[in-house]
Amino acid sequence: MAKNKRLLDEVTKLRVSFEELSAQHVRAEDTIESLQIEVMRQKGLNEKLENDLMGLDKKGDRGTPPLVQGSQGLAGLDIGGKQVHL
């Protein structure tokens, strides 16, 4: 009789543990799904940014010199109260 009671208690504990683990599993799957959606969104934004930057680079190659290549793009601007002269 005592052995049956002990086994029933053990089965009950295992069922409770199983239910808790099942709930954690469902939450983990939901988290994974939302993270995958966020990764796809971030990849799309990254691709758009790269395309925009490539477009700006190509635009610079067609006649408008990019600021990095020694142009006077910042000359004459009042930045922080100081006149910039390049």
Side-chain angles (χ1 to χ4, degrees), residues 63-81:
T64 306
L67 295 176
V68 179
Q69 295 180 354
S71 71
Q72 300 290 323
L74 298 177
L77 294 178
D78 184 20
I79 299 175

Side-chain angles (χ1 to χ4, degrees), residues 15-58:
R15 283 185 182 156
V16 169
S17 293
F18 177 77
E19 291 300 321
E20 289 172 355
L21 289 173
S22 293
Q24 286 178 357
H25 178 72
V26 168
R27 286 192 302 271
E29 285 181 328
D30 290 344
T31 300
I32 288 170
E33 184 178 340
S34 67
L35 289 173
Q36 286 174 333
I37 291 169
E38 180 64 16
V39 165
M40 294 305 294
R41 187 183 77 80
Q42 292 289 332
K43 282 183 179 181
L45 289 172
N46 189 40
E47 186 176 324
K48 183 180 183 320
L49 176 62
E50 288 174 352
N51 290 337
D52 289 349
L53 290 173
M54 287 177 57
L56 286 174
D57 188 39
K58 287 179 183 177

